[in-house]
Amino acid sequence: MSLPELPPSLAASPLPKYLEIYRRFRAAIDQGQLRAGERVPSVRALAEELKVARGTVETAYQLLTSEGFFQARGQAGTVIAEWSAQRSISAPLPEVPAAAQRGVSLPLQLGLPALDAFPRKLWARLVTWQVRQADPQSLALTDVCGYAPLREAIADYLALYRGVPCAPAQVFISAGYCASLGLVCDALDMAGQRCWFEDPGYLHARDFLAHEGVELIPVPVDQDGLQVEEGVRRQPQARLAVVTPSHQSPLGVPLSPGRRRELLAWTQAQGSWVIEDDYDSEFRYKGQPLAALKSLDLDDRVIYAGSFSKMLFPGLRLGYLVVPQALVERFERSAGQLHNRNAELLQATAAAFLAQGHFTRHLKKMRQLYTVRRGLLVDALRVHCADLLRVDPQAGGINLLARLLVEVSDQRIAQRALAAGLAIQAISAWSLEADQERGLLMGFTNVASQEQAMAIAQQLREVIQQTMAS
Amino acid sequence: MSLPELPPSLAASPLPKYLEIYRRFRAAIDQGQLRAGERVPSVRALAEELKVARGTVETAYQLLTSEGFFQARGQAGTVIAEWSAQRSISAPLPEVPAAAQRGVSLPLQLGLPALDAFPRKLWARLVTWQVRQADPQSLALTDVCGYAPLREAIADYLALYRGVPCAPAQVFISAGYCASLGLVCDALDMAGQRCWFEDPGYLHARDFLAHEGVELIPVPVDQDGLQVEEGVRRQPQARLAVVTPSHQSPLGVPLSPGRRRELLAWTQAQGSWVIEDDYDSEFRYKGQPLAALKSLDLDDRVIYAGSFSKMLFPGLRLGYLVVPQALVERFERSAGQLHNRNAELLQATAAAFLAQGHFTRHLKKMRQLYTVRRGLLVDALRVHCADLLRVDPQAGGINLLARLLVEVSDQRIAQRALAAGLAIQAISAWSLEADQERGLLMGFTNVASQEQAMAIAQQLREVIQQTMAS
């Protein structure tokens, strides 16, 4: 077997070599030139043929295997996987993964707060004060569990504003949500263990958990959030469930009171645990914010995960967990073994920001601002895309979900949009099983003017129409 | 079976409960009350007996299992391991692990730079400048590979001062040496793979790699550093070797030119990789600093690991790797999957510190200061401990190794010293196999005066004498 449509040289491609190899295999599978069960060339042979390092081919093969297009058969070599052709249709070719990794923020980028509205001067003043009054001891190694004043400030905040009373010793500081998940995986020894995961659900968490070797059990989501009964039917003995109770990520619905009770009853009966990813509960624009699931957790089975990425800014790299009393020692050990340390300066600054009341004032301002900015984008989509998209009503969050009213792949739209400079995501890419869901996810927090909103909506209209025509 | 010597209640112990349980099992094994093959009570049963949470007992059991005292036998339950009694003699009981985790820095603490001599005002000025001129975009997600100007500044520094020419794209920023090791383990898929490890060797790296599931092959160290031939004899097909070529950690000897050649020849023949932990090469007090192993690495098999923990300060949480060209793409992917991001503010400050020449000036000053401080401690030990200790001659580094001239366990001394407030470490605890090595490791960088050095040496004398008498 040799690769179809080889351009004269890999060097002609603007992509990294491994990605070019990956794309060629994907194309060959799409076009039916490679069929299920067919054996792929050895890493060594292909590297020689293409005159690239073996590591390059290996990386491409790993990517293809991890995405389910290849299947390793031990001594028998590696073959094209059974369902690869089917899968290939639903999974988009990565267009500019490097840019995504590099953190370039594009219009509509998900998961960002309003970067222009962060009180940078105030923050700079606090940083300056902290760094000037730092004593020599503050240069030494920080506590693996987190800087004590920050743990205290978070415990105070959660008790007052989220109905989550906890001791500072239960609060563990991390370098963001994925680092928090890493700590949970280590402490609960999750490698090879089963975990309920919302379907559709937060893409980055899913990828990270899969990478950590967790066996994800997709559990469908409806208008009341996670279908607990279905989870029990599929895998009653999962060790963990990861949920987004305030606004389900990405559908935006809250987990209903009944489902909350069912979920907690399951954890109690099974001795299992829940991660409550409370990533954007503070941003609710109508009605009262819902109490955290953790506030109902009488049996202390819920691990509460918060992050400052959306409340302050993602470049801060600070998140936290509140862990059940019974798990504190286990998490302390894991934090020590993972050498889970964060710089004291930024922890101390965040602690001051919370303790001095800036945090709650900032959130209040952002709630008002986000109501306006969401409105700008919704109105612009109504003007330019009313026949193509229907915006899901949603009471909060920082992302907007628009359902497609026309027959076209949301992933193909997202690909074209990205190429055109709009960081839209396709909801079907967030699904683990058959993609009943089709729609576009957009971050509206950085849509700063009506003019900008209109320009974006117009550009999006063109992208959708071009995708339909192609 | 019930636990021997149960005090009336666990609450009476000053230790965390899991640690108290751990210590009781260790004591029972030491005293021969528990023998190899004997079954230990179930977690549930013991938790009920002791009236503690099951998680507490589980944590203790995990610790005992991970340290090889317990052995899980699946359905048959857990038993005392075969070689547990023998092992127990060589492994010290943890005395105050919580304090160690918390980063309290005690006199003689290893691995710290001189905290009082760091230019805090200059650093504060740079931080202030960086945070004041930060634009909104700098608040967004940072590059998973590291902040570009810092990668460039490191590449420039290494080419000039360490004879390691590399492209900025080969430099990966991490949150310190363990985070660097985590990235290597992921990129090289090291779980379950074999790795040569210096014996004795750097304790924290050893624990971290073991925790990551790497199979460590101990390779003895002599006056020329790692015995490469012995490594080849024991495990020629290891995928990786971790070495400290500048000053072997902890023995302080440099890896000889002959051994360097042997090591590189092995990597080339086997297609294996080397991590060069160049943790303190800049601190050399006599003669020229040795060129890095990486500078001889014509086949590009060496992964060079550096850290700012000892060159600047450990609370900064910044380290870096220089990876071979052939591995760059693989490391980029791993960095993305691990969400390996560090705050931009501190990376930008470190970049400015390097680019403006402060870094090399600071290292020069520290070389002079450390020559003085090492002298203070060596002289004080000569005055007070000449009959008990012989200080190893050593041309560099930030730790001092003193051999015991008397027959007494170095680990028992280290335990007593820690209880007395001296953060000494026993070299035998850094050994994987039989402890031929006995000696005390001390950090001298924070010994600030003759008075302090004399007081420390006097206190150490008392500790050693008490240990001999007990």
Side-chain angles (χ1 to χ4, degrees):
Chain A
M1 192 205 90
S2 79
L3 273 172
E5 292 185 83
L6 275 176
S9 138
L10 274 183
S13 164
L15 289 172
K17 287 177 192 160
Y18 81 94
L19 210 57
E20 180 58 36
I21 296 170
Y22 166 90
R23 288 173 64 89
R24 291 187 194 181
F25 273 102
R26 286 287 308 274
I29 291 167
D30 280 0
Q31 294 156 20
Q33 290 165 297
L34 291 179
R35 291 213 177 70
E38 210 170 331
R39 201 164 151 177
V40 303
S42 75
V43 169
R44 183 194 296 260
L46 189 61
E48 270 170 25
E49 192 186 341
L50 299 178
K51 296 192 178 49
V52 296
R54 267 196 262 168
T56 305
V57 178
E58 245 175 272
T59 305
Y61 279 25
Q62 280 171 7
L63 190 55
L64 287 155
T65 307
S66 75
E67 292 187 1
F69 296 107
F70 282 6
Q71 202 177 353
R73 289 223 176 128
Q75 297 289 351
T78 296
V79 300
I80 305 293
E82 272 322 306
W83 39 288
S84 56
Q86 203 180 336
R87 170 152 187 115
S88 191
I89 294 159
S90 73
L93 279 168
E95 201 61 52
V96 278
Q101 263 198 4
R102 294 264 135 70
V104 178
S105 98
L106 298 172
L108 302 185
Q109 182 103 20
L110 292 190
L112 284 183
L115 298 177
D116 59 331
F118 184 74
R120 297 203 309 284
K121 280 194 183 167
L122 167 64
W123 182 260
R125 211 163 60 227
L126 292 176
V127 166
T128 300
W129 191 82
Q130 290 293 343
V131 75
R132 288 211 177 131
Q133 61 94 53
D135 63 7
Q137 201 56 50
S138 75
L139 305 174
L141 276 179
T142 48
D143 189 327
V144 289
C145 304
Y147 181 60
L150 180 57
R151 303 171 81 187
E152 284 161 26
I154 290 171
D156 288 350
Y157 169 77
L158 292 177
L160 262 172
Y161 291 91
R162 299 295 298 134
V164 176
C166 61
Q170 290 174 269
V171 179
F172 288 74
I173 309 297
S174 75
Y177 183 48
C178 279
S180 289
L181 289 177
L183 183 58
V184 173
C185 286
D186 193 86
L188 299 186
D189 205 4
M190 286 301 298
Q193 296 296 325
R194 283 167 291 212
C195 170
W196 289 3
F197 199 82
E198 294 171 335
D199 190 17
Y202 181 44
L203 187 64
H204 291 310
R206 183 181 102 192
D207 285 351
F208 184 85
L209 291 169
H211 185 73
E212 293 279 296
V214 176
E215 190 189 325
L216 296 175
I217 312 293
V219 178
V221 172
D222 61 19
Q223 285 309 307
D224 289 322
L226 185 91
Q227 296 182 26
V228 178
E229 211 172 294
E230 181 61 19
V232 172
R233 202 187 60 75
R234 292 187 181 196
Q235 189 45 257
Q237 295 182 344
R239 182 175 292 183
L240 182 66
V242 180
V243 291
T244 47
S246 293
H247 313 115
Q248 201 273 332
S249 173
L251 298 186
V253 298
L255 189 64
S256 72
R259 292 276 173 81
R260 287 174 189 234
R261 279 192 300 271
E262 283 176 48
L263 183 61
L264 293 176
W266 169 72
T267 60
Q268 192 186 355
Q270 284 296 328
S272 51
W273 306 98
V274 170
I275 295 180
E276 172 176 28
D277 174 11
D278 202 37
Y279 68 112
D280 68 354
S281 64
E282 280 91 344
F283 298 127
R284 191 179 170 85
Y285 314 118
K286 296 177 218 160
Q288 282 298 305
L290 290 167
L293 176 65
K294 179 73 191 164
S295 69
L296 308 172
D297 175 31
L298 300 177
D299 290 294
D300 214 10
R301 311 298 306 175
V302 175
I303 300 165
Y304 178 94
S307 163
F308 292 118
S309 290
K310 292 161 188 80
M311 306 299 145
L312 297 177
F313 58 97
L316 181 58
R317 307 314 309 134
L318 285 179
Y320 58 88
L321 291 171
V322 177
V323 314
Q325 285 284 5
L327 294 179
V328 165
E329 285 168 8
R330 224 190 280 182
F331 274 75
E332 284 176 355
R333 279 197 60 226
S334 283
Q337 282 169 325
L338 298 174
H339 293 262
N340 178 44
R341 300 179 201 275
N342 296 284
E344 183 170 309
L345 176 62
L346 296 175
Q347 294 190 71
T349 306
F353 197 86
L354 263 76
Q356 296 174 18
H358 305 299
F359 187 65
T360 46
R361 273 194 293 279
H362 176 59
L363 292 185
K364 198 175 158 192
K365 273 192 204 157
M366 291 307 102
R367 266 192 293 271
Q368 292 164 352
L369 182 69
Y370 292 171
T371 310
V372 173
R373 292 191 168 179
R374 188 177 196 281
L376 289 177
L377 186 58
V378 170
D379 290 347
L381 291 174
R382 269 199 204 116
V383 171
H384 290 289
C385 305
D387 52 333
L388 304 172
L389 297 172
R390 191 194 67 233
V391 175
D392 253 31
Q394 193 174 328
I398 57 174
N399 303 328
L400 179 150
L401 173 56
R403 307 285 180 159
L404 281 163
L405 299 174
V406 286
E407 275 301 319
V408 57
S409 150
D410 55 355
Q411 300 199 25
R412 282 179 53 223
I413 294 174
Q415 251 181 287
R416 275 188 180 262
L418 191 56
L422 294 178
I424 282 174
Q425 294 204 26
I427 201 171
S428 68
W430 290 40
S431 302
L432 277 160
E433 298 194 334
D435 43 355
Q436 320 93 325
E437 306 283 354
R438 281 186 318 123
L440 305 175
L441 280 166
M442 314 174 202
F444 56 76
T445 51
N446 286 287
V447 176
S449 66
Q450 193 182 35
E451 203 181 2
Q452 195 194 354
M454 289 295 184
I456 287 171
Q458 217 163 350
Q459 200 185 352
L460 182 55
R461 175 176 194 84
E462 284 164 25
V463 165
I464 296 175
Q465 286 179 330
Q466 283 165 6
T467 314
M468 289 169 70
S470 71
Chain B
M1 191 207 88
S2 78
L3 274 172
E5 291 186 81
L6 277 174
S9 141
L10 275 182
S13 164
L15 290 172
K17 286 177 193 160
Y18 81 90
L19 209 57
E20 180 58 36
I21 296 169
Y22 167 90
R23 289 174 63 89
R24 290 186 196 183
F25 274 102
R26 286 286 310 271
I29 292 166
D30 281 359
Q31 293 156 21
Q33 289 166 300
L34 292 178
R35 291 212 176 73
E38 210 169 332
R39 199 163 154 178
V40 303
S42 75
V43 168
R44 183 194 296 259
L46 189 62
E48 271 170 23
E49 193 186 341
L50 298 179
K51 298 191 177 50
V52 295
R54 266 197 262 169
T56 306
V57 177
E58 244 175 272
T59 305
Y61 278 28
Q62 279 173 4
L63 189 56
L64 287 155
T65 306
S66 74
E67 293 188 0
F69 296 107
F70 282 5
Q71 204 176 350
R73 289 223 176 127
Q75 298 288 352
T78 297
V79 300
I80 305 293
E82 271 323 307
W83 39 287
S84 57
Q86 205 180 331
R87 170 150 188 117
S88 191
I89 293 158
S90 73
L93 279 169
E95 202 61 53
V96 278
Q101 264 199 3
R102 295 263 135 71
V104 177
S105 99
L106 298 172
L108 303 184
Q109 182 103 18
L110 292 191
L112 284 182
L115 297 177
D116 59 332
F118 184 74
R120 297 203 309 284
K121 279 193 183 167
L122 167 63
W123 183 259
R125 212 162 61 227
L126 292 175
V127 166
T128 300
W129 191 82
Q130 289 295 342
V131 75
R132 286 209 180 135
Q133 61 94 54
D135 64 7
Q137 201 57 49
S138 76
L139 305 175
L141 275 179
T142 49
D143 188 327
V144 289
C145 304
Y147 181 61
L150 179 58
R151 302 171 81 187
E152 284 161 25
I154 291 171
D156 288 349
Y157 169 77
L158 292 177
L160 263 172
Y161 291 91
R162 300 295 298 135
V164 176
C166 60
Q170 291 175 270
V171 180
F172 287 75
I173 310 296
S174 75
Y177 183 48
C178 279
S180 289
L181 289 177
L183 183 58
V184 173
C185 286
D186 193 84
L188 299 185
D189 205 4
M190 286 301 299
Q193 295 297 324
R194 282 167 293 212
C195 170
W196 291 2
F197 199 83
E198 294 172 334
D199 190 17
Y202 182 44
L203 187 63
H204 290 310
R206 184 181 101 193
D207 285 352
F208 183 83
L209 291 169
H211 186 73
E212 293 280 293
V214 177
E215 190 188 324
L216 296 174
I217 311 293
V219 178
V221 172
D222 62 20
Q223 285 309 305
D224 289 323
L226 184 91
Q227 297 182 24
V228 178
E229 210 172 297
E230 180 62 19
V232 173
R233 202 185 62 75
R234 293 187 180 193
Q235 188 47 256
Q237 296 182 341
R239 180 174 293 183
L240 182 67
V242 181
V243 291
T244 48
S246 294
H247 313 115
Q248 199 274 332
S249 173
L251 298 186
V253 297
L255 189 63
S256 72
R259 293 276 172 81
R260 287 173 189 236
R261 281 192 299 272
E262 284 176 47
L263 183 61
L264 293 176
W266 169 73
T267 60
Q268 192 185 355
Q270 285 296 327
S272 51
W273 306 99
V274 170
I275 295 180
E276 172 175 28
D277 175 12
D278 202 38
Y279 67 113
D280 69 353
S281 64
E282 280 90 345
F283 299 127
R284 190 177 169 88
Y285 314 120
K286 298 177 215 158
Q288 283 298 306
L290 291 167
L293 175 66
K294 179 74 191 161
S295 69
L296 308 171
D297 175 31
L298 300 178
D299 290 293
D300 214 9
R301 310 299 305 177
V302 174
I303 300 164
Y304 177 94
S307 163
F308 292 119
S309 291
K310 291 160 188 79
M311 305 300 146
L312 296 177
F313 59 96
L316 182 57
R317 307 315 308 134
L318 283 180
Y320 58 89
L321 291 171
V322 178
V323 316
Q325 285 283 5
L327 295 179
V328 165
E329 285 168 8
R330 222 190 282 182
F331 273 75
E332 283 175 355
R333 279 196 59 226
S334 283
Q337 283 170 321
L338 298 174
H339 292 261
N340 180 42
R341 300 180 199 275
N342 296 284
E344 183 170 308
L345 176 62
L346 296 174
Q347 294 189 73
T349 306
F353 197 85
L354 262 77
Q356 296 174 17
H358 304 300
F359 187 64
T360 46
R361 273 194 292 278
H362 176 59
L363 292 185
K364 197 175 159 194
K365 273 193 203 156
M366 290 307 102
R367 267 193 292 272
Q368 292 164 352
L369 182 70
Y370 292 172
T371 310
V372 173
R373 291 191 169 179
R374 188 176 197 280
L376 289 177
L377 186 59
V378 170
D379 290 348
L381 291 174
R382 269 199 204 115
V383 171
H384 290 290
C385 305
D387 53 332
L388 304 172
L389 296 172
R390 191 195 68 235
V391 175
D392 253 30
Q394 192 175 328
I398 57 173
N399 303 328
L400 179 151
L401 172 56
R403 306 284 181 160
L404 281 163
L405 300 174
V406 287
E407 275 299 319
V408 56
S409 151
D410 56 355
Q411 299 199 25
R412 282 179 52 224
I413 294 174
Q415 252 180 286
R416 273 187 182 265
L418 192 55
L422 294 177
I424 282 174
Q425 293 205 25
I427 201 170
S428 67
W430 291 39
S431 302
L432 278 159
E433 298 195 331
D435 42 355
Q436 321 91 327
E437 306 284 354
R438 282 187 317 121
L440 305 176
L441 280 166
M442 314 174 203
F444 56 76
T445 50
N446 286 289
V447 176
S449 67
Q450 192 183 35
E451 202 180 2
Q452 196 196 353
M454 289 295 183
I456 286 171
Q458 216 163 351
Q459 200 186 351
L460 181 56
R461 175 175 195 87
E462 283 164 27
V463 165
I464 297 176
Q465 287 180 328
Q466 283 166 6
T467 313
M468 290 168 69
S470 71

